[in-house]
Amino acid sequence: MIGYYNYSVILTYVGLGSAMVGMMQAMQKNLRVAVLCLMICGFCDMFDGAIARTCKRTEDEKTFGIQIDSLCDLVCFGVFPAMIGYATGIRSLFGYFCMIFYVLAAVIRLGYFNVQEMNRVQAESGKRKYYLGLPVTTASLLIPTMLLLDIPTKFTVVRFYNFALLILGLAFLSKIKVKKVYMHGLIVVAALGTIVFLLLLRYGDRIVWSPFSIENV
């Protein structure tokens, strides 16, 4: 079989599997389960790089890892969130535009990152310090956190899901510098993510998941 097989890509593939399960659940209107799967994708992505760095790899295997990580990120944090939006009932032209723009922005962001990362690896050693543009993986925490706001407010924040995708897509393509977090930062982000995950698991049924009619956004 073609490809490179070692433990450095296990979490990346687990995240991809979670995204596939989540998309199937979204299409069956199990939206709370779908969003929880999105968060699992985020947890997997958070630590797959740290695991990969413990693996002794050839240059080809490292390049393969960069490519496979971005391809899986496109599914997990590009296509998957858009599919959740579709499953909430968004059917307007503006809603379609937001979903398509979001996925396209994720494609451009990930392609640009791959080019920059390969150039950086050739030019310097050591870890990356900053990202240019908001990483697509942040969707796995930002979207669930936004949806949680519906629990205390009953504001049906799902109604603004299309706007959230539009804003995130613009942030992916922006030139803002985002500091890359490592061990201590990862622990903090993982702790926050765990809190959001548990709140969704316990109280997610109180969210108004599908406030749209076929004709409305």
Side-chain angles (χ1 to χ4, degrees):
M1 295 187 295
I2 64 171
Y4 299 93
Y5 301 93
N6 52 55
Y7 69 82
S8 69
V9 295
I10 289 176
L11 270 186
T12 303
Y13 293 158
V14 170
L16 178 64
S18 179
M20 292 301 300
V21 171
M23 283 190 278
M24 290 184 279
Q25 290 298 310
M27 291 301 99
Q28 295 174 27
K29 299 299 182 181
N30 297 323
L31 289 162
R32 176 171 58 161
V33 176
V35 174
L36 290 172
C37 286
L38 175 63
M39 295 202 73
I40 291 172
C41 294
F43 284 122
C44 290
D45 183 81
M46 195 177 300
F47 297 105
D48 63 356
I51 290 175
R53 284 190 289 273
T54 67
C55 181
K56 194 177 232 183
R57 297 176 294 169
T58 65
E59 290 304 313
D60 282 350
E61 287 173 329
K62 289 178 182 178
T63 302
F64 177 80
I66 293 172
Q67 298 297 331
I68 212 69
D69 185 67
S70 286
L71 289 170
C72 291
D73 283 353
L74 176 58
V75 177
C76 296
F77 311 111
V79 178
F80 185 12
M83 292 298 292
I84 291 174
Y86 184 81
T88 64
I90 297 172
R91 297 294 186 275
S92 74
L93 287 177
F94 178 68
Y96 284 145
F97 169 78
C98 291
M99 291 185 285
I100 293 169
F101 174 77
Y102 175 84
V103 176
L104 180 60
V107 170
I108 295 170
R109 168 75 180 80
L110 290 166
Y112 181 82
F113 170 79
N114 278 5
V115 173
Q116 295 300 309
E117 183 64 11
M118 287 189 288
N119 290 340
R120 186 192 69 82
V121 169
Q122 292 175 359
E124 61 183 62
S125 58
K127 299 177 180 178
R128 171 180 286 273
K129 295 180 180 178
Y130 292 94
Y131 292 114
L132 190 61
L134 187 72
V136 297
T137 54
T138 55
S140 64
L141 182 58
L142 294 178
I143 288 175
T145 302
M146 179 199 78
L147 294 172
L148 270 180
L149 295 175
D150 190 57
I151 295 174
T153 63
K154 296 299 179 185
F155 197 56
T156 58
V157 294
V158 176
R159 189 175 294 276
F160 300 98
Y161 193 94
N162 47 3
F163 293 100
L165 292 182
L166 180 62
I167 293 168
L168 282 174
L170 290 171
F172 293 161
L173 300 179
S174 70
K175 292 185 177 181
I176 60 172
K177 277 190 174 183
V178 179
K179 187 174 181 180
K180 182 173 173 62
V181 295
Y182 288 101
M183 191 50 64
H184 291 92
L186 285 177
I187 292 172
V188 172
V189 174
L192 290 173
T194 300
I195 293 170
V196 173
F197 185 90
L198 293 174
L199 287 172
L200 277 172
L201 188 64
R202 177 66 179 85
Y203 301 108
D205 58 338
R206 300 184 185 180
I207 297 173
V208 181
W209 288 105
S210 300
F212 301 111
S213 70
I214 294 300
E215 297 83 14
N216 289 322
V217 214

